[in-house]
Amino acid sequence: MEFGLSEEQEMIVSTVRSFVENEIYPHEAMVEKTGQVPVELGEEIKRKCIDLGFYACNFPEEVGGAGLSHLDFALVERELGRGSMALNHFFGRPQNILMACEGDQKERYLLPAVRGEKMDALAMTEPDAGSDVRGMKCQAVRDGGDWVINGSKHFISGAEHADFFIVFVATGVDETPKGPKKRITCFLVDRGTPGFEVRDGYNSVSHRGYKNCILYFDNCRLPDAQVLGEVDGGFEVMNEWLYATRITVAAMSVGRARRCFDYAVNYAAERKQFGQAIAKFQGISFQVADMITEIDAADWLTLASAWRLDQGLPANRQIASAKLYASEMLARVTDATLQIFGGMGLMDDFPIERFWRDARVERIWDGTSEIQRHIISRDIFRPLGA
């Protein structure tokens, strides 16, 4: 078994970490205070990322991406996890699901997204359909040769910057032995389409500046050309392309935990109480030992799941395990770091309270911890017929 990174992978890590430290860190305090990313700053980050050759690095070379493997891309996301999500959004990683584009869709959506000419946003979640994706009420019905969509979506990240949206809606119902089961179709919806509106969402304590929006559809009419994948095949498209987003959450959790850990270690080595550095006390040093053990474990679990994808091996359970463990590890590490800092950890003189707040959402989005446990346990028991 080979656990080391190749020379190229070491270069990826070094390049992205340098980018985050030099182009992201300096602006974090401003974004945290204002809750905004100035348009000019976002465009500057995007331009520098394009110049660096890392924009849409999660896409294959044949469509203009960098062609990174799943493992390579996990390394990129791990380093991006060290910085503000509101700013890292402009580093540019379009949704892989756009690889399902066909015909004219490639020229209108896929290629412009890869070149950085357009930005996308993914829309699945609704007020009554979070973990239960098939419980969505936003629906599209046939009207002549078109589809007419009515309903809403919420918690849509990056929507304020998006030029188009990848939207999953119900397009019918099948009767099954387990009860009614909604059919789902994926649509590509341009900003400005009549009957479609993007509104401000909720104020979140996590990832300030990385906003969520609410999408409203009021008799929004779309032709068949806007269907991504097959009609009623949205769930299959979703499962084929979106599972890797859980690796992203896991990898970014590891990166953020490592940055937080560095703060904890340096503070413990410098802060003196009772005549010596607090790192000398087992109450602190043992916490630090537990923290780095958990971070390393989450790191290897994440990279191993990405490696399995590259090898064409089944990885659903391993990816769910990585997302579950890394996100919950981040919560423990940020909480322990805040405890080491004591009262100062809650002050905005340090970014510790921000790391602590930001960590909370990782156990919710892209599949809650409970959903990950369901995926893991189902994978274990299904072969046994249980």
Side-chain angles (χ1 to χ4, degrees):
M1 300 178 71
E2 176 58 60
F3 289 96
L5 299 183
S6 67
E7 184 176 340
E8 181 179 351
Q9 289 170 332
E10 292 283 7
M11 183 191 71
I12 289 172
V13 170
S14 175
T15 301
V16 179
R17 182 175 300 181
S18 177
F19 186 94
V20 171
E21 291 175 348
N22 292 298
E23 307 297 340
I24 303 300
Y25 284 5
H27 306 292
E28 288 182 335
M30 177 272 295
V31 172
E32 184 68 15
K33 183 177 181 179
T34 65
Q36 304 285 340
V37 177
V39 175
E40 300 79 8
L41 177 57
E43 288 300 316
E44 180 184 355
I45 293 173
K46 181 197 290 189
R47 176 180 55 78
K48 289 181 177 179
C49 179
I50 292 173
D51 292 343
L52 200 63
F54 272 87
Y55 199 90
C57 60
N58 53 323
F59 278 74
E61 291 180 306
E62 57 262 30
V63 297
L68 297 186
S69 67
H70 289 288
L71 177 55
D72 294 341
F73 186 59
L75 295 173
V76 171
E77 293 287 14
R78 189 181 70 183
E79 297 310 312
L80 289 176
R82 292 174 174 268
S84 160
M85 284 197 70
L87 294 163
N88 284 337
H89 175 69
F90 297 95
F91 195 85
R93 291 94 74 209
Q95 297 290 336
N96 291 79
I97 197 171
L98 290 174
M99 285 299 295
C101 284
E102 296 182 352
D104 184 54
Q105 292 177 344
K106 294 180 180 179
E107 294 294 332
R108 295 174 58 207
Y109 300 105
L110 170 61
L111 298 181
V114 171
R115 292 192 295 260
E117 297 165 0
K118 290 184 177 181
M119 297 193 80
D120 62 290
L122 186 70
M124 284 191 293
T125 305
E126 298 178 13
D128 295 319
S131 297
D132 180 15
V133 176
R134 288 194 186 271
M136 63 177 59
K137 297 179 180 178
C138 185
Q139 64 175 345
V141 297
R142 277 289 191 184
D143 183 35
D146 295 333
W147 294 92
V148 177
I149 303 179
N150 283 284
S152 65
K153 299 287 179 179
H154 76 164
F155 293 158
I156 309 306
S157 302
E160 75 273 27
H161 305 295
D163 299 289
F164 68 94
F165 299 77
I166 304 163
V167 185
F168 290 84
V169 299
T171 46
V173 179
D174 290 325
E175 294 298 330
T176 73
K178 295 183 179 180
K181 184 177 181 181
K182 289 184 179 178
R183 300 193 299 272
I184 297 172
T185 302
C186 183
F187 291 88
L188 297 165
V189 185
D190 293 308
R191 180 183 287 276
T193 299
F196 172 54
E197 183 181 0
V198 181
R199 299 181 190 173
D200 292 339
Y202 316 96
N203 291 322
S204 173
V205 301
S206 296
H207 300 299
R208 288 176 180 162
Y210 187 65
K211 299 182 179 181
N212 65 84
C213 293
I214 302 174
L215 311 185
Y216 289 93
F217 298 88
D218 183 9
N219 291 322
C220 177
R221 184 174 292 271
L222 298 174
D224 274 333
Q226 299 307 114
V227 173
L228 181 62
E230 300 293 329
V231 173
D232 297 333
F235 206 74
E236 289 70 26
V237 172
M238 188 189 310
N239 287 335
E240 181 178 359
W241 295 106
L242 297 182
Y243 60 85
T245 61
R246 300 198 297 269
I247 294 181
T248 291
V249 174
M252 295 189 82
S253 294
V254 171
R256 197 165 299 121
R258 289 202 185 279
R259 183 180 177 189
C260 203
F261 177 79
D262 290 341
Y263 274 97
V265 169
N266 290 327
Y267 189 81
E270 296 172 3
R271 170 73 167 165
K272 289 184 171 56
Q273 290 287 278
F274 305 102
Q276 61 182 343
I278 62 174
K280 295 284 188 180
F281 299 106
Q282 288 185 350
I284 301 297
S285 63
F286 281 16
Q287 281 192 79
V288 169
D290 288 342
M291 289 161 70
I292 193 60
T293 300
E294 286 205 66
I295 292 171
D296 285 344
D299 202 357
W300 289 118
L301 189 58
T302 301
L303 297 181
S305 65
W307 176 85
R308 289 184 66 87
L309 281 182
D310 288 331
Q311 305 308 309
L313 298 171
N316 201 33
R317 174 176 63 81
Q318 287 80 2
I319 293 171
S321 295
K323 199 275 183 184
L324 169 66
Y325 187 76
S327 62
E328 299 203 341
M329 170 278 298
L330 177 61
R332 292 188 289 270
V333 167
T334 53
D335 192 73
T337 299
L338 196 152
Q339 192 71 17
I340 289 171
F341 270 73
M344 287 306 299
L346 288 167
M347 305 300 117
D348 60 9
D349 298 67
F350 296 99
I352 309 306
E353 55 88 22
R354 167 161 59 92
F355 297 149
W356 183 58
R357 284 186 287 103
D358 290 351
R360 189 59 185 89
V361 73
E362 308 301 339
R363 288 176 277 165
I364 297 174
W365 60 13
D366 287 287
T368 63
S369 290
E370 290 74 23
I371 288 295
Q372 305 313 314
R373 289 185 171 95
H374 172 68
I375 292 170
I376 296 164
S377 59
R378 184 181 60 186
D379 187 85
I380 292 171
F381 284 115
R382 265 188 176 173
L384 303 177

